[in-house]
Amino acid sequence: MTITDLARDTSAWLSGELESVFAKEQQEDITVKAAMYSLNAGGKRIRPLMMRLTALMTGCTDSKMEDVLYYAATLEMIHTYSLIHDDLPAMDNDDLRRGKPTCHKVYGEGIATLAGDLLLNTACERLFKAALKEPGYLYASYFMCKNAGLEGMVGGQSIDLDSEGKTIDLDLLYELQRKKTGALIESAVVTPYYLINELNELQANTDKTACLLRKLAEHIGLSFQIRDDILDVESDPSVLGKNTGKDLRDSKATFVTLLGEDGAKDRLSEEIASAKTVLSELGKMGYDTDGYNVLVDYLEKRDS
Ligand code: GRG
């Protein structure tokens, strides 16, 4: 099994669900067109890939797998909304995303703002709908919403914007990244297990596998972000599908600006090693961790 196999299988698994998040008759609406433009513009689909891996690793049945797919598409909608808004002139002001012109470059700022709103709102509708149909999914739906909000991605972005041009310390950088990037990755790694076992909050906080999955998510999230910071200084836009050198341009604090390139690479190696230690603990519990080991190896070296 290689990362290419995993990415191909995930993309095939996800594509039909993503095409149908808006009904045919809704697809005439300009905001829906803009949302679908960004949703289907490609992207690594790394969060859905993690959701599939957790589901397969923790013994998902076929019928539950359909629900994991529904939640995977929903998380990809939340992620895509964040990218559309992040690219707006009022935030990062970017014209290239996923190798294509950004949403506002194609549809204008107003429609792009609405497209992001629509993706987030529709994602929340889907989470409510799933929990109405299956009350055992209520905590999983709540968890995914919460991780997108102030305790998660929005909170991280808020610290990020507030820190531009300022000197921040490593502790604040960790908090920023844990929220901005780590929270959605935690949703990806953990939610399938909550769904499969229909866990409530107390069970989610005490179950041994759930605790290990959250630990794994933390190390994967940091590995992902540190590599992202390294790629911003080392990569080429044609490979990365987005512009590079932005962190320096915007005077952003990153693992590279605070630790230097070598220091960031050392931190990345430590996070990868910690992720592997958690995987070996999961392995000792009888879980097949091969897929996650392939993913973690990829995160250390990914070039896009
Ligand atoms: C607007 C609330 C709000 C949040 C924006 C996503 C985000 C928060 C900012 C984007 C800037 C950035 C570099 C974030 C950290 C890493 C990250 C999330 C990169 C993009 O995710 P990938 O690499 O993208 O998974 P693809 O296109 O492959 O899906």
Side-chain angles (χ1 to χ4, degrees):
M1 188 193 335
T2 65
I3 193 69
T4 313
D5 300 331
L6 289 174
R8 188 201 49 226
D9 294 351
T10 303
S11 168
W13 178 65
L14 193 67
S15 60
E17 185 70 22
L18 282 184
E19 290 292 340
S20 63
V21 291
F22 295 106
K24 272 270 167 297
E25 61 276 14
Q26 296 177 319
Q27 293 183 16
E28 291 307 308
D29 182 277
I30 187 70
T31 302
V32 175
K33 282 188 202 296
M36 290 191 72
Y37 167 78
S38 291
L39 201 53
N40 295 309
K44 295 182 288 300
R45 309 301 195 206
I46 197 121
R47 295 157 194 79
L49 190 154
M50 290 171 196
M51 294 183 81
R52 215 171 135 261
L53 285 181
T54 296
L56 294 173
M57 181 173 82
T58 59
C60 193
T61 60
D62 285 351
S63 71
K64 287 275 183 184
M65 202 64 179
E66 279 177 32
D67 295 338
V68 173
L69 172 59
Y70 177 92
Y71 275 78
T74 306
L75 186 61
E76 193 64 13
M77 292 167 79
I78 296 174
H79 168 58
T80 303
Y81 119 72
S82 79
L83 299 179
I84 295 174
H85 280 191
D86 188 66
D87 289 335
L88 286 167
M91 292 207 194
D92 250 15
N93 192 17
D94 256 307
D95 52 14
L96 187 68
R97 171 68 66 181
R98 295 176 162 172
K100 298 199 169 76
T102 45
C103 193
H104 68 272
K105 283 281 160 195
V106 178
Y107 289 94
E109 287 174 37
I111 292 295
T113 306
L114 268 184
D117 294 340
L118 178 68
L119 284 168
L120 176 61
N121 210 87
T122 310
C124 292
E125 285 174 35
R126 286 166 65 91
L127 295 174
F128 271 115
K129 198 170 165 189
L132 282 168
K133 202 174 112 205
E134 179 47 78
Y137 291 174
L138 191 57
Y139 183 65
S141 287
Y142 164 77
F143 186 77
M144 209 177 248
C145 272
K146 183 172 172 285
N147 274 3
L150 194 64
E151 289 301 306
M153 185 174 66
V154 170
Q157 181 79 344
S158 177
I159 300 172
D160 196 10
L161 293 185
D162 192 40
S163 306
E164 264 178 36
K166 296 182 188 160
T167 311
I168 67 167
D169 62 19
L170 203 53
D171 284 347
L172 189 59
L173 181 65
Y174 273 111
E175 183 188 343
L176 186 172
Q177 302 304 358
R178 187 176 50 76
K179 290 180 172 171
K180 187 172 95 163
T181 315
L184 288 205
I185 288 181
E186 185 185 54
S187 290
V189 174
V190 171
T191 306
Y193 184 74
Y194 292 174
L195 289 173
I196 295 165
N197 298 286
E198 299 187 14
L199 298 188
N200 63 30
E201 185 169 13
L202 181 67
Q203 291 164 329
N205 287 334
T206 49
D207 180 280
K208 187 173 176 200
T209 302
C211 293
L212 283 173
L213 286 173
R214 282 193 297 276
K215 243 178 155 185
L216 176 66
E218 193 184 326
H219 297 305
I220 285 183
L222 276 168
S223 303
F224 184 85
Q225 183 60 54
I226 297 169
R227 185 73 193 145
D228 215 71
D229 291 350
I230 295 169
L231 287 173
D232 188 67
V233 290
E234 285 192 350
S235 186
D236 189 74
S238 63
V239 181
L240 206 52
K242 59 182 180 180
N243 292 321
T244 52
K246 294 186 303 176
D247 297 332
L248 208 59
R249 177 198 73 188
D250 298 334
S251 316
K252 288 214 167 176
T254 71
F255 287 100
V256 171
T257 58
L258 288 198
L259 301 173
E261 262 179 82
D262 287 345
K265 283 177 185 166
D266 289 346
R267 282 296 304 131
L268 175 59
S269 301
E270 284 164 31
E271 291 302 329
I272 295 287
S274 301
K276 295 245 167 184
T277 303
V278 180
L279 284 174
S280 92
E281 285 183 56
L282 284 163
K284 281 184 209 141
M285 291 174 73
Y287 293 116
D288 179 352
T289 60
D290 288 356
Y292 261 117
N293 273 299
V294 169
L295 174 72
V296 168
D297 287 337
Y298 159 77
L299 290 178
E300 188 170 18
K301 300 184 183 74
R302 73 186 174 97
D303 57 12
S304 69

